[in-house]
Every structure is written in C-alpha cells, then in structure tokens.
Amino acid sequence: MPEEYELNAVTRRRFLGWSQATLAAVSVAPWAISRGEAEPVTAAAGEDYYDKLGVEKIVNAAGTYTYLTAAVMPPEVQKAVAIAALHPVVLRDLQKASSEYLAKQLRCEGALVTSGASAALTLATAACIAAANDAKPEQIPQEVGGMKNEVIVQKAHRYEYDHAMLLCGARIVEITSAEEYRKAFTPKTVMTNFFNAAESGEIDRETWLRIAHERGVPCHLDAAADVPPIENLWKYTEMGFDLVCFSGGKGIRGPQNAGLLLGKKKLIDLAIANDSPNSDAVGRGMKVAKEQIVGMVAAVDWLLSRDEAADQKEYRRRADLIASAVKDIPTMKSEVFIPEIANHVPHLILEYDPAVVGITPLEVQKRLQQGRPRIELNPATGTTGRLGTHSNENTIVVGTWMLQPGEAEIVSRRLREVLTHPRA
C-alpha cells in the first residue's frame, strides 16, 4: 500500500515517526501459503487485552461465525487499519473515495462499506423505499406505513434478518410459487429480497430477477457468506441484481463489524443518504469507522491478490491431516464436503457409531470446548439438517479454513485423544 503523504516537511517527519512507532507495535509476519504451510502470525507488541480481561482464546475449527468473532484479518489488512487509526479525515470524503475505488475493483456501478451485511440489507431497503416514494431520510421509518413499502420474499427465504428490512417500516409479502410471485406485485411493491444460501424455494435466481424487472422493481440479493469464490463479488451484480450485500468479516477477511453493499449507483447513493453520519437517517446507528472503511478496501485488495486454488488446496490438506489422525477409530468414515453456496470451502465430515466408540459427537464437542486450548467445532456437529444429508447426530463436522498455522495438528491430536479415551 502506498505510504506517500503530501505533508510539509515538519509535519511529515512528525507523522512518519508516529507511524513507524505504531506499525512496530502491530508488526506481523507475512501471511502467505507456501509449500502447503502458512507462516505464523506473530503476536502484536503491547498488552494482550484478552489475557487482561480473562477472555479465553479459541482454536476455530468451526468457520466464520459471528459468535466466534468470524475471521482473523490478514497482516496486510491489520496494518492498513493501524495506519488509518493514526489520523482523522473527513468521513464523507473517505466514503466517497472508498466507494468509487471498490466499485471499480468489483466491477459494479456503486459500492458502500457498511457495518455488516445486516446493516447493508437495512440500507438497501431504505434505498428502495426512498427510490419508490421520493422519500427523505427523515421519513424512514416514521412515515413509511403510509407509503409504498412492500418487499416480496419467498417463504423458504424468510429468516432472522427480516428484521433488517422491518427496521425501515417495510411490510414483507410472502410467496411460494412463481404464479404467486407474479400476482404479489402491487403499486406498493418497492423491492424483492432473495436469500442466496437458501436451500429450498421454488423460484431460482434468474426467474426471480426476470419477473421483478419486468415490473420495474429492484432486486436485492443477500450473499453475506458467499465468498469464496472470489468471483461472487461481481457475479451477481453482473447477473442483474440491483443490490447485493456481503459480510466483510467472513471470507473477505476484513473487519468483523464491516460489510459491503454493491449495485446500481442510483440506489447506492440513496443508501449512502440513509447511512451514518447523517443524523436523521435510519442508518445513523450503523456507524462505520474510518478503520473499518480502510480495512474493507485493504481486504478486497488482499482477496483479489489471492491464489484461490492454492488456498482451497491448503484447506483440503488440513482436512486430510485431521481425517488421517482418526481413520483407525472403529466404524469411522470420513468425507470432505464443500457447500455449493455459502461457506464454499472444504468441511471435514467424520461419521461413526457412538455406541461402538463410546461417545457421541455432541459429547466430543463439549470435551473439546472444555480442553485447553479450547477447540470449537462446526455447529453442524451432532445435528441433522444444517449441512443437508452430510450431517446428522453421528457426525463431527470440522471447518478447516479458519484454522491458524499449526492448529490442524492440535485439532488432530485432541480429536484422537477424545475418541480413543471417551470416558477420560
């Protein structure tokens, strides 16, 4: 990242001294996969506040889940965030510059760094309400009940993030079939929402998009957890979706409290109008700090530089290593499963007969949580349905892509210990 700043000589010398001291405090080793191994991320200099606060660090063999603080930012992103923290800027200038840069990088008309994918969905809804009603930010949500405010959603795509739309005063219209979908459009329809990772629903993306556009209604696509593959960052806007949201702290590896809203410039501009720092906007509380904005720009740059095939190969290597460690456990069978849409990375599935081994997958999960270091398995462990037919009450699910260097070996050893000593 360029570090040339147009400052006068005195200010420049003072700034560089300050910057170098700060960067020294956050210096980390390069995070690059080489010969199947990643170099370790070294601890930042200074006080460890996890230790000070008594918060236990974990080995993340689950995935990019919010409750486990999602991904670890790579060093390039950490350094960009540290530099951004050194000086204030005019927030609107940073919003504008980052939006233009990200739109160019991600091949779309407009882009906005948001405070997560849920906030992006709220701002997308506000933008569509504003577009349909020529509404001002201060009218949302207070006056939306008397406006055009309907959002059409497939019944199979209803989820907890409906609240992100309801914050704007939207009314959700639920449909099941394509025939119902065609009939659901009224003069009050402002938007449709398609949950990309939904495993059911009668209407596919292309049909959903075509029917809405025939009626002049914009479509939002929730693709929060849908990187990798990297190409998804432009695939859906190029397909024609008017707005698409992504989580920033999952596969993109940016700050956990950041996200992206991509799409048509007119709608992105309206989303910005309804976002912080505008004090009368529904997004005022969805503040995005300068560090988050710069962190997301840096994360996108980092992601676009990756060798995706090499990364996937490394995740598979870790899965194979863990599977090998437990392959001689009685009745043990293993497979590597890659979900088609969300979390499109190798997941290790270990299936066995608990009656023979003497411990259930849920008991294994608990033992690993109680051990040191604490290991978190994928929440699909010991459950039916979360990974379709690939998980059930007899399966352990290991997510390998959030493991740090050397942690696959730790997971291998601990899994074997627990499975071979079930009543220890």
Short mmCIF file of all heavy atoms in Angstrom, two decimals, residues 106-110 221 232-244 246 262-264:
data_model
loop_
_atom_site.label_atom_id
_atom_site.label_comp_id
_atom_site.label_asym_id
_atom_site.label_seq_id
_atom_site.Cartn_x
_atom_site.Cartn_y
_atom_site.Cartn_z
N LEU A 106 -14.59 -4.05 -8.04
CA LEU A 106 -15.57 -5.13 -8.01
C LEU A 106 -16.56 -5.06 -9.17
O LEU A 106 -17.61 -5.71 -9.15
CB LEU A 106 -16.31 -5.12 -6.67
CG LEU A 106 -15.37 -5.30 -5.46
CD1 LEU A 106 -16.15 -5.25 -4.15
CD2 LEU A 106 -14.59 -6.60 -5.57
N ARG A 107 -16.24 -4.25 -10.17
CA ARG A 107 -16.94 -4.25 -11.47
C ARG A 107 -18.42 -3.92 -11.37
O ARG A 107 -19.26 -4.54 -12.04
CB ARG A 107 -16.77 -5.62 -12.14
CG ARG A 107 -15.34 -6.14 -12.18
CD ARG A 107 -15.26 -7.51 -12.83
NE ARG A 107 -14.00 -8.16 -12.58
CZ ARG A 107 -13.66 -9.36 -13.04
NH1 ARG A 107 -14.53 -10.05 -13.76
NH2 ARG A 107 -12.48 -9.90 -12.76
N CYS A 108 -18.77 -2.97 -10.51
CA CYS A 108 -20.16 -2.58 -10.39
C CYS A 108 -20.27 -1.07 -10.43
O CYS A 108 -19.27 -0.36 -10.40
CB CYS A 108 -20.77 -3.14 -9.09
SG CYS A 108 -19.88 -2.67 -7.60
N GLU A 109 -21.50 -0.57 -10.50
CA GLU A 109 -21.72 0.87 -10.59
C GLU A 109 -21.43 1.60 -9.29
O GLU A 109 -20.89 2.71 -9.28
CB GLU A 109 -23.16 1.16 -11.00
CG GLU A 109 -23.52 0.78 -12.42
CD GLU A 109 -24.96 1.16 -12.74
OE1 GLU A 109 -25.54 2.00 -12.01
OE2 GLU A 109 -25.52 0.63 -13.72
N GLY A 110 -21.83 0.98 -8.18
CA GLY A 110 -21.70 1.64 -6.89
C GLY A 110 -21.35 0.66 -5.80
O GLY A 110 -21.65 -0.53 -5.89
N LEU A 221 -30.03 -9.11 -3.33
CA LEU A 221 -29.55 -10.48 -3.10
C LEU A 221 -28.71 -10.49 -1.84
O LEU A 221 -27.72 -9.74 -1.73
CB LEU A 221 -28.72 -10.97 -4.28
CG LEU A 221 -28.17 -12.39 -4.15
CD1 LEU A 221 -29.20 -13.40 -4.62
CD2 LEU A 221 -26.89 -12.57 -4.96
N ASN A 232 -17.82 -14.25 -6.91
CA ASN A 232 -19.17 -13.89 -6.47
C ASN A 232 -19.29 -12.39 -6.19
O ASN A 232 -20.40 -11.84 -6.21
CB ASN A 232 -19.55 -14.67 -5.21
CG ASN A 232 -20.01 -16.09 -5.53
OD1 ASN A 232 -20.10 -16.47 -6.70
ND2 ASN A 232 -20.27 -16.86 -4.51
N LEU A 233 -18.17 -11.72 -5.94
CA LEU A 233 -18.20 -10.29 -5.65
C LEU A 233 -18.66 -9.47 -6.85
O LEU A 233 -19.02 -8.30 -6.69
CB LEU A 233 -16.83 -9.83 -5.17
CG LEU A 233 -16.47 -10.26 -3.74
CD1 LEU A 233 -15.00 -9.99 -3.45
CD2 LEU A 233 -17.36 -9.56 -2.72
N TRP A 234 -18.61 -10.04 -8.04
CA TRP A 234 -19.16 -9.34 -9.21
C TRP A 234 -20.16 -10.20 -10.00
O TRP A 234 -20.90 -9.70 -10.82
CB TRP A 234 -18.05 -8.86 -10.15
CG TRP A 234 -17.05 -9.91 -10.53
CD1 TRP A 234 -17.14 -10.82 -11.54
CD2 TRP A 234 -15.79 -10.16 -9.90
NE1 TRP A 234 -16.04 -11.62 -11.59
CE2 TRP A 234 -15.17 -11.23 -10.59
CE3 TRP A 234 -15.11 -9.58 -8.83
CZ2 TRP A 234 -13.92 -11.72 -10.23
CZ3 TRP A 234 -13.87 -10.08 -8.47
CH2 TRP A 234 -13.29 -11.13 -9.17
N LYS A 235 -20.22 -11.48 -9.71
CA LYS A 235 -21.10 -12.38 -10.46
C LYS A 235 -22.56 -11.93 -10.41
O LYS A 235 -23.26 -11.90 -11.43
CB LYS A 235 -20.97 -13.80 -9.91
CG LYS A 235 -21.95 -14.80 -10.50
CD LYS A 235 -21.77 -16.17 -9.87
CE LYS A 235 -22.80 -17.17 -10.38
NZ LYS A 235 -22.61 -18.51 -9.76
N TYR A 236 -23.05 -11.57 -9.22
CA TYR A 236 -24.48 -11.32 -9.05
C TYR A 236 -24.89 -9.93 -9.52
O TYR A 236 -26.00 -9.76 -10.03
CB TYR A 236 -24.88 -11.58 -7.60
CG TYR A 236 -24.61 -13.00 -7.19
CD1 TYR A 236 -23.67 -13.31 -6.21
CD2 TYR A 236 -25.27 -14.06 -7.83
CE1 TYR A 236 -23.41 -14.62 -5.86
CE2 TYR A 236 -25.00 -15.37 -7.50
CZ TYR A 236 -24.07 -15.65 -6.50
OH TYR A 236 -23.80 -16.96 -6.18
N THR A 237 -24.02 -8.95 -9.38
CA THR A 237 -24.35 -7.64 -9.95
C THR A 237 -24.32 -7.72 -11.47
O THR A 237 -25.14 -7.11 -12.15
CB THR A 237 -23.39 -6.55 -9.45
OG1 THR A 237 -22.04 -6.98 -9.63
CG2 THR A 237 -23.64 -6.24 -7.98
N GLU A 238 -23.37 -8.50 -12.02
CA GLU A 238 -23.32 -8.66 -13.47
C GLU A 238 -24.52 -9.46 -13.98
O GLU A 238 -24.95 -9.29 -15.12
CB GLU A 238 -22.01 -9.31 -13.88
CG GLU A 238 -20.80 -8.40 -13.70
CD GLU A 238 -19.50 -9.01 -14.19
OE1 GLU A 238 -19.46 -10.25 -14.44
OE2 GLU A 238 -18.50 -8.26 -14.32
N MET A 239 -25.07 -10.33 -13.13
CA MET A 239 -26.27 -11.08 -13.49
C MET A 239 -27.47 -10.16 -13.61
O MET A 239 -28.44 -10.46 -14.32
CB MET A 239 -26.53 -12.16 -12.43
CG MET A 239 -27.68 -13.09 -12.73
SD MET A 239 -28.00 -14.27 -11.36
CE MET A 239 -26.51 -15.25 -11.41
N GLY A 240 -27.42 -9.02 -12.89
CA GLY A 240 -28.51 -8.06 -12.98
C GLY A 240 -29.13 -7.67 -11.67
O GLY A 240 -30.03 -6.81 -11.63
N PHE A 241 -28.68 -8.26 -10.55
CA PHE A 241 -29.23 -7.86 -9.26
C PHE A 241 -28.89 -6.40 -9.00
O PHE A 241 -27.75 -5.96 -9.19
CB PHE A 241 -28.72 -8.77 -8.14
CG PHE A 241 -29.47 -10.06 -8.06
CD1 PHE A 241 -29.01 -11.20 -8.72
CD2 PHE A 241 -30.66 -10.15 -7.34
CE1 PHE A 241 -29.72 -12.38 -8.66
CE2 PHE A 241 -31.37 -11.33 -7.27
CZ PHE A 241 -30.91 -12.45 -7.94
N ASP A 242 -29.87 -5.66 -8.56
CA ASP A 242 -29.72 -4.22 -8.37
C ASP A 242 -28.88 -3.89 -7.14
O ASP A 242 -28.18 -2.88 -7.11
CB ASP A 242 -31.10 -3.57 -8.24
CG ASP A 242 -31.97 -3.87 -9.44
OD1 ASP A 242 -31.92 -3.13 -10.42
OD2 ASP A 242 -32.70 -4.89 -9.39
N LEU A 243 -28.97 -4.74 -6.13
CA LEU A 243 -28.22 -4.57 -4.89
C LEU A 243 -27.80 -5.95 -4.38
O LEU A 243 -28.59 -6.90 -4.44
CB LEU A 243 -29.06 -3.87 -3.83
CG LEU A 243 -29.39 -2.39 -4.10
CD1 LEU A 243 -30.53 -1.93 -3.20
CD2 LEU A 243 -28.16 -1.51 -3.91
N VAL A 244 -26.57 -6.05 -3.86
CA VAL A 244 -26.06 -7.30 -3.32
C VAL A 244 -25.27 -6.97 -2.06
O VAL A 244 -24.45 -6.05 -2.06
CB VAL A 244 -25.14 -8.03 -4.32
CG1 VAL A 244 -24.64 -9.34 -3.74
CG2 VAL A 244 -25.86 -8.27 -5.65
N PHE A 246 -22.70 -8.33 1.18
CA PHE A 246 -21.72 -9.32 1.64
C PHE A 246 -21.27 -8.95 3.05
O PHE A 246 -21.18 -7.78 3.40
CB PHE A 246 -20.47 -9.34 0.74
CG PHE A 246 -20.71 -9.85 -0.64
CD1 PHE A 246 -20.99 -8.97 -1.68
CD2 PHE A 246 -20.64 -11.20 -0.92
CE1 PHE A 246 -21.21 -9.43 -2.96
CE2 PHE A 246 -20.87 -11.67 -2.21
CZ PHE A 246 -21.15 -10.79 -3.24
N LEU A 262 -23.25 -3.58 -2.74
CA LEU A 262 -22.85 -3.31 -4.12
C LEU A 262 -24.09 -3.20 -5.00
O LEU A 262 -25.11 -3.83 -4.72
CB LEU A 262 -21.95 -4.44 -4.64
CG LEU A 262 -20.78 -4.87 -3.76
CD1 LEU A 262 -20.06 -6.06 -4.39
CD2 LEU A 262 -19.82 -3.72 -3.51
N GLY A 263 -23.99 -2.43 -6.08
CA GLY A 263 -25.11 -2.40 -7.00
C GLY A 263 -25.22 -1.15 -7.83
O GLY A 263 -24.21 -0.48 -8.11
N LYS A 264 -26.44 -0.84 -8.24
CA LYS A 264 -26.71 0.31 -9.10
C LYS A 264 -26.37 1.61 -8.37
O LYS A 264 -26.72 1.79 -7.20
CB LYS A 264 -28.18 0.31 -9.52
CG LYS A 264 -28.60 -0.91 -10.34
CD LYS A 264 -27.97 -0.87 -11.74
CE LYS A 264 -28.61 -1.89 -12.68
NZ LYS A 264 -28.39 -3.28 -12.28
#
